[in-house]
Amino acid sequence: MRATFAGWHEHFVRQLTVRDRRSGYRASLKLLQTHTGCRHNNRMQGDVVVDEGSISGGASNMVRYGRVAGLFVLLIGGWPCASLAQLAATPHAAVDVEHNSNVFDLSSSGAAPEGKNGPTFGDTTIETRAGFDGTYVLSQQKFFAVAEVRHFDYQNFTSLSHNENTLNGGLSWTLSQILDGKVDYLHEQRMVQFMDLAASTALVLETENRARASANIRFTPEWRLDSMFTDRILNSPRNDVPGLSLHEDSIHEALRYLGVANLAAGIDLEYLNGTYRHDPIALDPKYDQTTVALAGTYVISGLTDFRGSIGYTRRDDRTTTGGQSAMTGSLGYRRALSAKTTLDLNLNRAVNSYLTTGGNELDTTAGFSVAWQATYKTTVRVGYSWTNSSFSQSAVNGQDTRVDHFQAANAEVNYLILRWLSIRPYARYLTRSSSQGLYDFNGTIVGIEIQAKPPERKR
């Protein structure tokens, strides 16, 4: 359940309300207010704040003891009462039963892999997960943490059963109206998707560690400079490349003009430096990537949300000939079609790292999604995306350039059984055609998820 210090604070004050049996006086000891200057509005009916000398000895002793106890609690907590009320933690737990008709994302032209129940492409997976997200607000500073553990139990290909975990925490800080920022750290262990492997049927677990720090300076009422530094390490050992990993450092600068209502526009500049590391007998490909773009956002709360950028990316692979230069950018548009229906459109073109081959890929993606709030308990979502990926020549295994066309369609219904319990049946269809037939596949996924999570409380 969501836990806050607000209820504890109220309980604390009420418990210090004492009645002297001889005099009949009732004294509410407002210790937190007395010693911190904080106000508490939950006075019990009939309570009065009295001076110790005006009541009999029993109540006076209770006052003194209560103040000592109150000060002790304040020293232990170390925070004013206004801050104690801002600590919150929300746990969650879920079970997801899913059937995938093509677990390994293999071409149907090949032979079916052998499982516990015989040769087949499909399998049923039971995923259980649990976690929490928490925040603590101290004045203008907000600490946050998200943690989750997951277990996947494969019914046919039992060697794929595994555990995953995610931990993310940090601080959103504010020093003044003109200076704020954020620092956070992410650690995650997860399974590599089979569509990113070359016809493999072996379980591969990878670990990502990412640290980010940002600072935003509003040096005039119309202009703001946003700066962010990122350090990312991805360890993803493969059977043929046991030491495969990627280390990237990047710095992103964004200058924005804020002088027009609902509009922020400017220029983005990003520099990224990366190194692939793998087995000792192979090279360590290194690269530099620079992106310059014009960017802007236009938001009308509750109606329209537009975010876009257009620019140019150049990537130089210092130890290979697999560099990339292309026009890049993104477009995101959200529109409330009605009080119950929302449309999202997305278009994106970017140069990304492709860890499996130690190279890069140019991805162009277009998609849409529609959400319909049928009732206050029922939400229906459908979506579709199309991606064209062009891969450079591999630095690790020497594969030639390839081009993929990937499509994904999905539909789901989320139903709120209770305020804290929901059920979500869903279905997805995936298909990929490639210039290298080894990477062709299609598959259908159907599943049902049951999740328990307390509702968010308004502050």
Side-chain angles (χ1 to χ4, degrees):
M1 295 297 291
R2 184 187 176 98
T4 71
F5 272 128
W8 171 86
H9 176 226
E10 179 179 350
H11 175 73
F12 178 69
V13 175
R14 290 182 181 272
Q15 290 292 3
L16 291 181
T17 300
V18 298
R19 179 185 296 273
D20 180 25
R21 293 179 180 177
R22 290 172 294 173
S23 65
Y25 281 112
R26 192 176 186 181
S28 180
L29 309 184
K30 305 295 186 177
L31 291 179
L32 299 184
Q33 179 175 333
T34 300
H35 292 281
T36 67
C38 300
R39 293 189 176 274
H40 191 283
N41 296 320
N42 294 324
R43 177 179 294 184
M44 297 175 65
Q45 184 176 4
D47 289 358
V48 292
V49 180
V50 298
D51 181 77
E52 296 170 25
S54 65
I55 61 177
S56 58
S60 178
N61 289 334
M62 288 297 295
V63 169
R64 295 189 184 96
Y65 297 153
R67 285 188 172 175
V68 172
L71 288 174
F72 177 76
V73 171
L74 291 178
L75 290 174
I76 293 296
W79 310 112
C81 62
S83 297
L84 290 175
Q86 301 303 314
L87 176 63
T90 305
H92 67 268
V95 176
D96 189 345
V97 180
E98 177 181 286
H99 179 79
N100 188 337
S101 66
N102 191 351
V103 172
F104 300 105
D105 298 329
L106 298 173
S107 172
S108 58
S109 61
E114 188 77 23
K116 183 179 70 173
N117 301 320
T120 180
F121 288 99
D123 199 356
T124 298
T125 308
I126 300 176
E127 176 192 354
T128 53
R129 63 179 182 275
F132 78 93
D133 61 89
T135 59
Y136 181 78
V137 179
L138 175 62
S139 185
Q140 297 182 7
Q141 321 309 320
K142 180 179 179 181
F143 298 87
F144 62 90
V146 178
E148 185 179 74
V149 292
R150 303 175 292 275
H151 176 72
F152 295 83
D153 188 9
Y154 286 76
Q155 305 304 294
N156 187 35
F157 298 102
T158 55
S159 62
L160 298 181
S161 297
H162 66 281
N163 298 317
E164 298 181 358
N165 60 80
T166 301
L167 177 62
N168 180 217
L171 166 67
S172 295
W173 54 270
T174 300
L175 295 184
S176 68
Q177 293 182 348
I178 64 173
L179 181 61
D180 60 61
K182 181 179 179 181
V183 292
D184 77 293
Y185 177 78
L186 169 71
H187 170 84
E188 182 174 21
Q189 185 182 55
R190 58 182 179 256
M191 183 180 79
V192 178
Q193 298 299 307
F194 284 103
M195 68 173 65
D196 293 329
L197 305 175
S200 173
T201 58
L203 172 67
V204 176
L205 294 176
E206 65 183 11
T207 302
E208 178 177 0
N209 293 284
R210 187 201 67 208
R212 293 189 303 193
S214 66
N216 311 310
I217 305 175
R218 190 163 184 169
F219 46 89
T220 73
E222 292 82 20
W223 290 95
R224 187 184 74 228
L225 178 65
D226 302 337
S227 303
M228 182 170 67
F229 173 79
T230 303
D231 180 79
R232 175 175 179 251
I233 299 176
L234 179 61
N235 295 306
S236 186
R238 312 295 167 85
N239 291 335
D240 52 342
V241 190
L244 184 61
S245 68
L246 171 64
H247 186 183
E248 291 182 330
D249 292 319
S250 68
I251 184 169
H252 183 103
E253 300 289 343
L255 181 64
R256 291 292 183 268
Y257 176 70
L258 311 172
V260 179
N262 303 319
L263 176 68
I267 187 170
D268 285 8
L269 175 63
E270 182 179 65
Y271 172 75
L272 184 149
N273 172 267
T275 302
Y276 289 103
R277 294 186 175 91
H278 35 84
D279 56 334
I281 64 174
L283 298 174
D284 287 347
K286 300 179 180 180
Y287 58 88
D288 300 291
Q289 182 171 308
T290 304
T291 300
V292 180
L294 298 175
T297 62
Y298 180 76
V299 178
I300 300 179
S301 180
L303 180 63
T304 299
D305 186 333
F306 171 85
R307 304 176 187 275
S309 67
I310 184 169
Y312 185 80
T313 298
R314 178 180 178 85
R315 178 172 174 134
D316 296 314
D317 288 348
R318 285 181 261 160
T319 53
T320 71
T321 59
Q324 186 74 257
S325 296
M327 181 175 290
T328 54
S330 64
L331 172 64
Y333 177 73
R334 169 171 288 187
R335 176 76 178 184
L337 302 179
S338 69
K340 293 186 175 183
T341 307
T342 303
L343 170 67
D344 284 276
L345 301 175
N346 294 281
L347 180 63
N348 184 76
R349 195 167 197 246
V351 177
N352 297 311
S353 298
Y354 185 49
L355 185 60
T356 297
T357 62
N360 64 78
E361 59 181 295
L362 176 61
D363 296 324
T364 304
T365 301
F368 76 89
S369 64
V370 178
W372 176 46
Q373 189 80 38
T375 70
Y376 78 97
K377 285 189 172 185
T378 307
T379 303
V380 180
R381 292 184 177 88
V382 296
Y384 170 82
S385 66
W386 173 88
T387 301
N388 178 86
S389 299
S390 177
F391 299 83
S392 68
Q393 185 178 20
S394 169
V396 176
N397 55 25
Q399 289 185 347
D400 294 330
T401 300
R402 87 173 201 257
V403 177
D404 292 352
H405 301 287
F406 176 73
Q407 299 180 71
N410 64 278
E412 65 176 51
V413 178
N414 192 85
Y415 180 72
L416 198 61
I417 303 173
L418 301 170
R419 294 185 61 197
W420 54 272
L421 184 65
S422 64
I423 185 170
R424 184 177 66 93
Y426 61 89
R428 293 194 292 269
Y429 176 75
L430 312 175
T431 181
R432 180 172 66 187
S433 60
S434 175
S435 59
Q436 298 182 14
L438 178 67
Y439 296 94
D440 291 345
F441 83 90
N442 61 76
T444 301
I445 299 172
V446 294
I448 186 168
E449 175 195 73
I450 298 177
Q451 177 174 259
K453 184 177 182 180
E456 295 291 336
R457 292 184 180 178
K458 295 182 180 180
R459 294 183 179 180

